[in-house]
């Protein structure tokens, strides 16, 4: 069966520091991968998605970037964190092709910026 | 563009009582619809999905949802709520990108009273 792992579970970083959050999927090949940010009362905001190695689509302009160096690895990064980057970050995967594939989520990373 | 509205931010239900969470969507074509549940500090878990066919779909944990095209609704129901059902519930619609991207509602927090 497929599993998705995110780490770290929690992270406290100072303003201006770099960021790297990692997400890996096991048990499937060539999944679609997604990064979301969740803020209280705002639901989930899609940040990036990827349909293959090196292929990244950005949904909103921001201080963050994403990379997919391997088929089942998705990384969320920042060179300099802002206070507004605080939030709960979720990674998800789905089978490729079509809009009828449900997404499956990791347990998230709680990021606090000081 | 597609959108999802969950009109209730919070709902309180007595344990053992029935539950209905509302979801309205806006989408030009036949929608792909999903309900997810999120416990505090956790990722999202898929409860059920609608693609086509029978408009009443059954999900996990005793939940069901009914698709009503005429009302653009996909309401989630459960006949008897348990204290463990207290969580946040998200409705989502397939965004039509061809890449299984989803548009989420802002969520409904379910509180269960004894």
């Amino acid at each position: 069966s497929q599993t998705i792992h995110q780490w770290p579970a929690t992270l406290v970083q100072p303003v201006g520091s770099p960021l790297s959050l990692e997400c890996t999927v096991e048990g499937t090949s060539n999944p679609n991968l997604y990064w979301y940010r969740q803020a209280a009362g705002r639901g989930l905001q899609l940040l990036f998605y990827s349909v293959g190695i090196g292929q990244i689509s950005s949904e909103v302009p921001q201080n963050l970037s994403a990379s997919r160096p391997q088929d089942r690895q998705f990384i969320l990064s920042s060179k300099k964190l802002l206070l507004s980057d605080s939030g709960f970050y979720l990674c998800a995967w789905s089978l490729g092709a079509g809009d009828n594939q449900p997404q499956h989520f990791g347990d998230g990373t709680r990021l606090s910026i000081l | 563009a597609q959108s999802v509205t969950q009109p209730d931010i919070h709902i309180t239900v007595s344990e053992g009582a029935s539950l209905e969470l509302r979801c309205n969507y806006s989408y030009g074509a036949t929608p792909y619809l999903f309900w997810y549940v999120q416990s505090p500090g956790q990722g999202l878990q898929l409860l059920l999905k609608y693609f086509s066919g029978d408009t009443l779909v059954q999900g996990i944990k005793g939940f069901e949802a009914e698709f009503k095209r005429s009302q653009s609704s996909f309401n989630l129901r459960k006949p008897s709520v348990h204290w463990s059902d207290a969580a946040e519930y998200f409705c989502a619609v397939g965004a039509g990108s061809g890449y299984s991207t989803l548009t989420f509602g802002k969520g409904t927090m379910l509180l269960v009273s004894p």
Side-chain angles (χ1 to χ4, degrees):
Chain A
S1 63
Q2 302 91 353
T3 56
I4 179 169
H5 303 281
Q6 270 188 258
W7 66 93
T10 59
L11 188 61
V12 181
Q13 293 283 98
V15 169
S17 64
L19 173 73
S20 181
L21 302 181
E22 189 163 343
C23 171
T24 59
V25 178
E26 296 176 359
T28 188
S29 296
N30 197 31
N32 289 355
L33 296 171
Y34 311 85
W35 277 113
Y36 289 88
R37 177 167 53 207
Q38 186 178 23
R42 295 189 185 178
L44 280 77
Q45 180 186 34
L46 178 64
L47 302 175
F48 301 96
Y49 69 91
S50 171
V51 300
I53 295 175
Q55 300 179 60
I56 308 294
S57 296
S58 175
E59 290 293 293
V60 291
Q62 59 206 314
N63 185 42
L64 302 169
S65 62
S67 62
R68 184 169 177 174
Q70 300 180 43
D71 181 42
R72 290 169 291 176
Q73 183 185 29
F74 205 24
I75 297 172
L76 185 68
S77 304
S78 174
K79 292 182 180 178
K80 282 189 176 182
L81 286 167
L82 307 172
L83 282 174
S84 58
D85 291 324
S86 292
F88 191 53
Y89 289 83
L90 289 158
C91 181
W93 73 272
S94 72
L95 294 175
D99 284 325
N100 61 350
Q101 301 298 330
Q103 293 181 17
H104 307 277
F105 287 80
D107 288 334
T109 295
R110 175 72 60 190
L111 176 62
S112 299
I113 309 300
L114 304 178
Chain B
Q2 63 286 335
S3 64
V4 176
T5 302
Q6 293 180 248
D8 303 305
I9 297 175
H10 296 100
I11 280 186
T12 300
V13 175
S14 299
E15 189 169 15
S18 63
L19 168 70
E20 182 168 27
L21 301 182
R22 295 183 291 164
C23 172
N24 292 97
Y25 67 90
S26 172
Y27 187 64
T30 300
Y32 300 118
L33 296 161
F34 308 85
W35 274 100
Y36 287 85
V37 61
Q38 183 181 33
S39 297
Q42 301 285 316
L44 278 70
Q45 181 183 22
L46 179 68
L47 285 175
L48 48 78
K49 58 193 178 188
Y50 170 78
F51 296 153
S52 64
D54 194 347
T55 56
L56 184 64
V57 293
Q58 302 297 320
I60 62 171
K61 303 186 179 188
F63 286 93
E64 66 179 26
E66 186 171 14
F67 170 61
K68 292 186 177 179
R69 183 187 299 276
S70 62
Q71 299 178 20
S72 297
S73 69
F74 188 55
N75 294 349
L76 182 71
R77 301 194 295 244
K78 187 170 184 178
S80 178
V81 168
H82 188 262
W83 64 266
S84 59
D85 294 323
E88 191 159 22
Y89 292 79
F90 291 93
C91 181
V93 62
S97 68
Y99 301 113
S100 297
T101 53
L102 298 177
T103 298
F104 283 86
K106 293 188 177 181
T108 297
M109 181 65 72
L110 173 65
L111 306 173
V112 180
S113 61

PDB file of all heavy atoms in Angstrom, chain A residues 44-73:
ATOM      1  N   LEU A  44      -7.477  25.268   2.844  1.00  0.00           N
ATOM      2  CA  LEU A  44      -6.186  24.865   2.276  1.00  0.00           C
ATOM      3  C   LEU A  44      -5.886  25.681   1.036  1.00  0.00           C
ATOM      4  O   LEU A  44      -6.719  25.793   0.141  1.00  0.00           O
ATOM      5  CB  LEU A  44      -6.196  23.383   1.909  1.00  0.00           C
ATOM      6  CG  LEU A  44      -5.985  22.407   3.049  1.00  0.00           C
ATOM      7  CD1 LEU A  44      -7.239  22.257   3.867  1.00  0.00           C
ATOM      8  CD2 LEU A  44      -5.527  21.062   2.512  1.00  0.00           C
ATOM      9  N   GLN A  45      -4.683  26.193   0.963  1.00  0.00           N
ATOM     10  CA  GLN A  45      -4.235  26.945  -0.203  1.00  0.00           C
ATOM     11  C   GLN A  45      -3.194  26.112  -0.936  1.00  0.00           C
ATOM     12  O   GLN A  45      -2.148  25.774  -0.365  1.00  0.00           O
ATOM     13  CB  GLN A  45      -3.632  28.272   0.241  1.00  0.00           C
ATOM     14  CG  GLN A  45      -3.137  29.126  -0.915  1.00  0.00           C
ATOM     15  CD  GLN A  45      -2.420  30.371  -0.434  1.00  0.00           C
ATOM     16  OE1 GLN A  45      -1.746  30.361   0.588  1.00  0.00           O
ATOM     17  NE2 GLN A  45      -2.570  31.451  -1.179  1.00  0.00           N
ATOM     18  N   LEU A  46      -3.453  25.791  -2.183  1.00  0.00           N
ATOM     19  CA  LEU A  46      -2.493  25.035  -2.979  1.00  0.00           C
ATOM     20  C   LEU A  46      -1.327  25.931  -3.342  1.00  0.00           C
ATOM     21  O   LEU A  46      -1.515  27.010  -3.909  1.00  0.00           O
ATOM     22  CB  LEU A  46      -3.162  24.485  -4.246  1.00  0.00           C
ATOM     23  CG  LEU A  46      -2.274  23.708  -5.202  1.00  0.00           C
ATOM     24  CD1 LEU A  46      -1.743  22.438  -4.532  1.00  0.00           C
ATOM     25  CD2 LEU A  46      -3.035  23.359  -6.476  1.00  0.00           C
ATOM     26  N   LEU A  47      -0.122  25.492  -3.007  1.00  0.00           N
ATOM     27  CA  LEU A  47       1.076  26.278  -3.291  1.00  0.00           C
ATOM     28  C   LEU A  47       1.748  25.810  -4.580  1.00  0.00           C
ATOM     29  O   LEU A  47       2.071  26.606  -5.458  1.00  0.00           O
ATOM     30  CB  LEU A  47       2.070  26.157  -2.129  1.00  0.00           C
ATOM     31  CG  LEU A  47       1.568  26.584  -0.753  1.00  0.00           C
ATOM     32  CD1 LEU A  47       2.639  26.293   0.298  1.00  0.00           C
ATOM     33  CD2 LEU A  47       1.200  28.057  -0.749  1.00  0.00           C
ATOM     34  N   PHE A  48       2.013  24.518  -4.672  1.00  0.00           N
ATOM     35  CA  PHE A  48       2.708  23.946  -5.818  1.00  0.00           C
ATOM     36  C   PHE A  48       2.142  22.559  -6.104  1.00  0.00           C
ATOM     37  O   PHE A  48       1.671  21.872  -5.203  1.00  0.00           O
ATOM     38  CB  PHE A  48       4.213  23.772  -5.530  1.00  0.00           C
ATOM     39  CG  PHE A  48       4.924  25.039  -5.177  1.00  0.00           C
ATOM     40  CD1 PHE A  48       5.122  25.395  -3.851  1.00  0.00           C
ATOM     41  CD2 PHE A  48       5.432  25.864  -6.164  1.00  0.00           C
ATOM     42  CE1 PHE A  48       5.780  26.555  -3.509  1.00  0.00           C
ATOM     43  CE2 PHE A  48       6.104  27.038  -5.841  1.00  0.00           C
ATOM     44  CZ  PHE A  48       6.276  27.386  -4.508  1.00  0.00           C
ATOM     45  N   TYR A  49       2.247  22.164  -7.366  1.00  0.00           N
ATOM     46  CA  TYR A  49       2.020  20.768  -7.683  1.00  0.00           C
ATOM     47  C   TYR A  49       3.005  20.341  -8.763  1.00  0.00           C
ATOM     48  O   TYR A  49       3.553  21.171  -9.495  1.00  0.00           O
ATOM     49  CB  TYR A  49       0.564  20.481  -8.067  1.00  0.00           C
ATOM     50  CG  TYR A  49       0.091  21.047  -9.384  1.00  0.00           C
ATOM     51  CD1 TYR A  49       0.183  20.309 -10.564  1.00  0.00           C
ATOM     52  CD2 TYR A  49      -0.499  22.303  -9.420  1.00  0.00           C
ATOM     53  CE1 TYR A  49      -0.283  20.829 -11.757  1.00  0.00           C
ATOM     54  CE2 TYR A  49      -0.959  22.828 -10.616  1.00  0.00           C
ATOM     55  CZ  TYR A  49      -0.865  22.083 -11.777  1.00  0.00           C
ATOM     56  OH  TYR A  49      -1.332  22.594 -12.956  1.00  0.00           O
ATOM     57  N   SER A  50       3.199  19.014  -8.822  1.00  0.00           N
ATOM     58  CA  SER A  50       4.184  18.463  -9.751  1.00  0.00           C
ATOM     59  C   SER A  50       3.639  17.181 -10.351  1.00  0.00           C
ATOM     60  O   SER A  50       3.144  16.318  -9.635  1.00  0.00           O
ATOM     61  CB  SER A  50       5.501  18.183  -9.013  1.00  0.00           C
ATOM     62  OG  SER A  50       6.388  17.460  -9.840  1.00  0.00           O
ATOM     63  N   VAL A  51       3.765  17.059 -11.669  1.00  0.00           N
ATOM     64  CA  VAL A  51       3.303  15.844 -12.343  1.00  0.00           C
ATOM     65  C   VAL A  51       4.457  14.950 -12.758  1.00  0.00           C
ATOM     66  O   VAL A  51       4.229  13.884 -13.353  1.00  0.00           O
ATOM     67  CB  VAL A  51       2.415  16.182 -13.556  1.00  0.00           C
ATOM     68  CG1 VAL A  51       1.193  16.985 -13.105  1.00  0.00           C
ATOM     69  CG2 VAL A  51       3.208  16.957 -14.596  1.00  0.00           C
ATOM     70  N   GLY A  52       5.700  15.375 -12.483  1.00  0.00           N
ATOM     71  CA  GLY A  52       6.847  14.549 -12.818  1.00  0.00           C
ATOM     72  C   GLY A  52       8.135  15.174 -12.316  1.00  0.00           C
ATOM     73  O   GLY A  52       8.147  16.335 -11.863  1.00  0.00           O
ATOM     74  N   ILE A  53       9.207  14.431 -12.407  1.00  0.00           N
ATOM     75  CA  ILE A  53      10.509  14.918 -11.945  1.00  0.00           C
ATOM     76  C   ILE A  53      10.853  16.236 -12.639  1.00  0.00           C
ATOM     77  O   ILE A  53      10.756  16.336 -13.867  1.00  0.00           O
ATOM     78  CB  ILE A  53      11.615  13.874 -12.233  1.00  0.00           C
ATOM     79  CG1 ILE A  53      11.354  12.609 -11.413  1.00  0.00           C
ATOM     80  CG2 ILE A  53      12.998  14.445 -11.885  1.00  0.00           C
ATOM     81  CD1 ILE A  53      12.327  11.482 -11.734  1.00  0.00           C
ATOM     82  N   GLY A  54      11.220  17.211 -11.844  1.00  0.00           N
ATOM     83  CA  GLY A  54      11.635  18.504 -12.385  1.00  0.00           C
ATOM     84  C   GLY A  54      10.510  19.384 -12.887  1.00  0.00           C
ATOM     85  O   GLY A  54      10.742  20.503 -13.334  1.00  0.00           O
ATOM     86  N   GLN A  55       9.268  18.908 -12.825  1.00  0.00           N
ATOM     87  CA  GLN A  55       8.121  19.672 -13.323  1.00  0.00           C
ATOM     88  C   GLN A  55       7.347  20.256 -12.143  1.00  0.00           C
ATOM     89  O   GLN A  55       6.755  19.507 -11.370  1.00  0.00           O
ATOM     90  CB  GLN A  55       7.195  18.786 -14.153  1.00  0.00           C
ATOM     91  CG  GLN A  55       7.850  18.176 -15.370  1.00  0.00           C
ATOM     92  CD  GLN A  55       6.883  17.285 -16.129  1.00  0.00           C
ATOM     93  OE1 GLN A  55       5.845  17.738 -16.582  1.00  0.00           O
ATOM     94  NE2 GLN A  55       7.217  16.017 -16.234  1.00  0.00           N
ATOM     95  N   ILE A  56       7.383  21.569 -12.005  1.00  0.00           N
ATOM     96  CA  ILE A  56       6.743  22.245 -10.877  1.00  0.00           C
ATOM     97  C   ILE A  56       5.802  23.311 -11.414  1.00  0.00           C
ATOM     98  O   ILE A  56       6.202  24.118 -12.266  1.00  0.00           O
ATOM     99  CB  ILE A  56       7.781  22.916  -9.965  1.00  0.00           C
ATOM    100  CG1 ILE A  56       8.879  21.926  -9.562  1.00  0.00           C
ATOM    101  CG2 ILE A  56       7.099  23.536  -8.746  1.00  0.00           C
ATOM    102  CD1 ILE A  56       8.404  20.785  -8.695  1.00  0.00           C
ATOM    103  N   SER A  57       4.593  23.332 -10.906  1.00  0.00           N
ATOM    104  CA  SER A  57       3.643  24.393 -11.215  1.00  0.00           C
ATOM    105  C   SER A  57       3.365  25.165  -9.939  1.00  0.00           C
ATOM    106  O   SER A  57       3.076  24.571  -8.897  1.00  0.00           O
ATOM    107  CB  SER A  57       2.337  23.816 -11.770  1.00  0.00           C
ATOM    108  OG  SER A  57       2.557  23.167 -12.992  1.00  0.00           O
ATOM    109  N   SER A  58       3.472  26.477 -10.046  1.00  0.00           N
ATOM    110  CA  SER A  58       3.240  27.341  -8.891  1.00  0.00           C
ATOM    111  C   SER A  58       1.863  27.977  -8.996  1.00  0.00           C
ATOM    112  O   SER A  58       1.503  28.509 -10.043  1.00  0.00           O
ATOM    113  CB  SER A  58       4.303  28.439  -8.840  1.00  0.00           C
ATOM    114  OG  SER A  58       4.019  29.354  -7.802  1.00  0.00           O
ATOM    115  N   GLU A  59       1.121  27.877  -7.920  1.00  0.00           N
ATOM    116  CA  GLU A  59      -0.245  28.410  -7.932  1.00  0.00           C
ATOM    117  C   GLU A  59      -0.329  29.848  -7.432  1.00  0.00           C
ATOM    118  O   GLU A  59      -1.242  30.573  -7.801  1.00  0.00           O
ATOM    119  CB  GLU A  59      -1.162  27.525  -7.075  1.00  0.00           C
ATOM    120  CG  GLU A  59      -1.417  26.163  -7.685  1.00  0.00           C
ATOM    121  CD  GLU A  59      -2.229  26.260  -8.963  1.00  0.00           C
ATOM    122  OE1 GLU A  59      -3.416  26.641  -8.894  1.00  0.00           O
ATOM    123  OE2 GLU A  59      -1.673  25.967 -10.043  1.00  0.00           O
ATOM    124  N   VAL A  60       0.588  30.249  -6.574  1.00  0.00           N
ATOM    125  CA  VAL A  60       0.542  31.609  -6.036  1.00  0.00           C
ATOM    126  C   VAL A  60       1.970  32.138  -5.940  1.00  0.00           C
ATOM    127  O   VAL A  60       2.876  31.421  -5.588  1.00  0.00           O
ATOM    128  CB  VAL A  60      -0.132  31.668  -4.655  1.00  0.00           C
ATOM    129  CG1 VAL A  60      -1.614  31.364  -4.786  1.00  0.00           C
ATOM    130  CG2 VAL A  60       0.497  30.710  -3.683  1.00  0.00           C
ATOM    131  N   PRO A  61       2.160  33.412  -6.286  1.00  0.00           N
ATOM    132  CA  PRO A  61       3.499  34.000  -6.127  1.00  0.00           C
ATOM    133  C   PRO A  61       3.808  34.173  -4.642  1.00  0.00           C
ATOM    134  O   PRO A  61       2.948  34.530  -3.862  1.00  0.00           O
ATOM    135  CB  PRO A  61       3.370  35.361  -6.815  1.00  0.00           C
ATOM    136  CG  PRO A  61       1.916  35.685  -6.755  1.00  0.00           C
ATOM    137  CD  PRO A  61       1.189  34.367  -6.817  1.00  0.00           C
ATOM    138  N   GLN A  62       5.026  33.848  -4.264  1.00  0.00           N
ATOM    139  CA  GLN A  62       5.313  33.881  -2.842  1.00  0.00           C
ATOM    140  C   GLN A  62       6.811  33.743  -2.612  1.00  0.00           C
ATOM    141  O   GLN A  62       7.601  33.682  -3.554  1.00  0.00           O
ATOM    142  CB  GLN A  62       4.595  32.732  -2.168  1.00  0.00           C
ATOM    143  CG  GLN A  62       5.020  31.392  -2.738  1.00  0.00           C
ATOM    144  CD  GLN A  62       3.936  30.364  -2.565  1.00  0.00           C
ATOM    145  OE1 GLN A  62       3.355  30.235  -1.506  1.00  0.00           O
ATOM    146  NE2 GLN A  62       3.625  29.659  -3.628  1.00  0.00           N
ATOM    147  N   ASN A  63       7.137  33.625  -1.360  1.00  0.00           N
ATOM    148  CA  ASN A  63       8.504  33.532  -0.896  1.00  0.00           C
ATOM    149  C   ASN A  63       9.025  32.103  -0.931  1.00  0.00           C
ATOM    150  O   ASN A  63      10.141  31.847  -0.505  1.00  0.00           O
ATOM    151  CB  ASN A  63       8.531  34.073   0.545  1.00  0.00           C
ATOM    152  CG  ASN A  63       9.912  34.148   1.100  1.00  0.00           C
ATOM    153  OD1 ASN A  63      10.843  34.549   0.419  1.00  0.00           O
ATOM    154  ND2 ASN A  63      10.070  33.714   2.344  1.00  0.00           N
ATOM    155  N   LEU A  64       8.237  31.166  -1.403  1.00  0.00           N
ATOM    156  CA  LEU A  64       8.593  29.756  -1.330  1.00  0.00           C
ATOM    157  C   LEU A  64       8.861  29.202  -2.721  1.00  0.00           C
ATOM    158  O   LEU A  64       8.407  29.752  -3.724  1.00  0.00           O
ATOM    159  CB  LEU A  64       7.443  28.971  -0.681  1.00  0.00           C
ATOM    160  CG  LEU A  64       7.034  29.418   0.716  1.00  0.00           C
ATOM    161  CD1 LEU A  64       5.730  28.744   1.124  1.00  0.00           C
ATOM    162  CD2 LEU A  64       8.128  29.097   1.726  1.00  0.00           C
ATOM    163  N   SER A  65       9.581  28.087  -2.764  1.00  0.00           N
ATOM    164  CA  SER A  65       9.810  27.374  -4.012  1.00  0.00           C
ATOM    165  C   SER A  65       9.689  25.885  -3.731  1.00  0.00           C
ATOM    166  O   SER A  65       9.725  25.446  -2.573  1.00  0.00           O
ATOM    167  CB  SER A  65      11.183  27.703  -4.588  1.00  0.00           C
ATOM    168  OG  SER A  65      12.195  27.298  -3.687  1.00  0.00           O
ATOM    169  N   ALA A  66       9.525  25.100  -4.782  1.00  0.00           N
ATOM    170  CA  ALA A  66       9.422  23.648  -4.637  1.00  0.00           C
ATOM    171  C   ALA A  66      10.323  22.987  -5.664  1.00  0.00           C
ATOM    172  O   ALA A  66      10.602  23.554  -6.726  1.00  0.00           O
ATOM    173  CB  ALA A  66       7.982  23.198  -4.815  1.00  0.00           C
ATOM    174  N   SER A  67      10.748  21.786  -5.324  1.00  0.00           N
ATOM    175  CA  SER A  67      11.558  21.005  -6.247  1.00  0.00           C
ATOM    176  C   SER A  67      11.181  19.541  -6.126  1.00  0.00           C
ATOM    177  O   SER A  67      10.680  19.090  -5.078  1.00  0.00           O
ATOM    178  CB  SER A  67      13.047  21.200  -5.968  1.00  0.00           C
ATOM    179  OG  SER A  67      13.368  20.746  -4.661  1.00  0.00           O
ATOM    180  N   ARG A  68      11.410  18.823  -7.211  1.00  0.00           N
ATOM    181  CA  ARG A  68      11.125  17.383  -7.231  1.00  0.00           C
ATOM    182  C   ARG A  68      12.350  16.697  -7.839  1.00  0.00           C
ATOM    183  O   ARG A  68      12.397  16.433  -9.039  1.00  0.00           O
ATOM    184  CB  ARG A  68       9.876  17.075  -8.039  1.00  0.00           C
ATOM    185  CG  ARG A  68       9.477  15.607  -8.017  1.00  0.00           C
ATOM    186  CD  ARG A  68       8.100  15.427  -8.611  1.00  0.00           C
ATOM    187  NE  ARG A  68       7.716  14.028  -8.658  1.00  0.00           N
ATOM    188  CZ  ARG A  68       6.518  13.606  -9.029  1.00  0.00           C
ATOM    189  NH1 ARG A  68       5.579  14.479  -9.367  1.00  0.00           N
ATOM    190  NH2 ARG A  68       6.243  12.314  -9.066  1.00  0.00           N
ATOM    191  N   PRO A  69      13.349  16.434  -7.011  1.00  0.00           N
ATOM    192  CA  PRO A  69      14.592  15.846  -7.520  1.00  0.00           C
ATOM    193  C   PRO A  69      14.480  14.367  -7.870  1.00  0.00           C
ATOM    194  O   PRO A  69      15.251  13.871  -8.686  1.00  0.00           O
ATOM    195  CB  PRO A  69      15.567  16.060  -6.358  1.00  0.00           C
ATOM    196  CG  PRO A  69      14.692  16.149  -5.145  1.00  0.00           C
ATOM    197  CD  PRO A  69      13.418  16.783  -5.586  1.00  0.00           C
ATOM    198  N   GLN A  70      13.535  13.675  -7.259  1.00  0.00           N
ATOM    199  CA  GLN A  70      13.308  12.257  -7.543  1.00  0.00           C
ATOM    200  C   GLN A  70      11.810  12.022  -7.717  1.00  0.00           C
ATOM    201  O   GLN A  70      10.996  12.843  -7.311  1.00  0.00           O
ATOM    202  CB  GLN A  70      13.842  11.383  -6.404  1.00  0.00           C
ATOM    203  CG  GLN A  70      15.336  11.533  -6.156  1.00  0.00           C
ATOM    204  CD  GLN A  70      15.812  10.640  -5.026  1.00  0.00           C
ATOM    205  OE1 GLN A  70      15.416   9.466  -4.937  1.00  0.00           O
ATOM    206  NE2 GLN A  70      16.656  11.173  -4.160  1.00  0.00           N
ATOM    207  N   ASP A  71      11.464  10.881  -8.274  1.00  0.00           N
ATOM    208  CA  ASP A  71      10.069  10.597  -8.631  1.00  0.00           C
ATOM    209  C   ASP A  71       9.114  10.746  -7.453  1.00  0.00           C
ATOM    210  O   ASP A  71       8.002  11.248  -7.601  1.00  0.00           O
ATOM    211  CB  ASP A  71       9.971   9.177  -9.194  1.00  0.00           C
ATOM    212  CG  ASP A  71       8.565   8.825  -9.612  1.00  0.00           C
ATOM    213  OD1 ASP A  71       7.902   9.689 -10.226  1.00  0.00           O
ATOM    214  OD2 ASP A  71       8.112   7.698  -9.340  1.00  0.00           O
ATOM    215  N   ARG A  72       9.558  10.308  -6.260  1.00  0.00           N
ATOM    216  CA  ARG A  72       8.648  10.285  -5.129  1.00  0.00           C
ATOM    217  C   ARG A  72       9.096  11.200  -4.001  1.00  0.00           C
ATOM    218  O   ARG A  72       8.771  10.982  -2.842  1.00  0.00           O
ATOM    219  CB  ARG A  72       8.512   8.842  -4.635  1.00  0.00           C
ATOM    220  CG  ARG A  72       7.753   7.957  -5.621  1.00  0.00           C
ATOM    221  CD  ARG A  72       7.852   6.486  -5.269  1.00  0.00           C
ATOM    222  NE  ARG A  72       9.199   5.975  -5.473  1.00  0.00           N
ATOM    223  CZ  ARG A  72       9.573   4.744  -5.170  1.00  0.00           C
ATOM    224  NH1 ARG A  72       8.730   3.915  -4.602  1.00  0.00           N
ATOM    225  NH2 ARG A  72      10.804   4.344  -5.405  1.00  0.00           N
ATOM    226  N   GLN A  73       9.845  12.241  -4.354  1.00  0.00           N
ATOM    227  CA  GLN A  73      10.345  13.185  -3.363  1.00  0.00           C
ATOM    228  C   GLN A  73       9.956  14.598  -3.773  1.00  0.00           C
ATOM    229  O   GLN A  73      10.156  15.010  -4.921  1.00  0.00           O
ATOM    230  CB  GLN A  73      11.870  13.068  -3.260  1.00  0.00           C
ATOM    231  CG  GLN A  73      12.488  13.955  -2.194  1.00  0.00           C
ATOM    232  CD  GLN A  73      14.005  13.883  -2.214  1.00  0.00           C
ATOM    233  OE1 GLN A  73      14.621  13.646  -3.250  1.00  0.00           O
ATOM    234  NE2 GLN A  73      14.629  14.096  -1.056  1.00  0.00           N
TER     235      GLN A  73
END
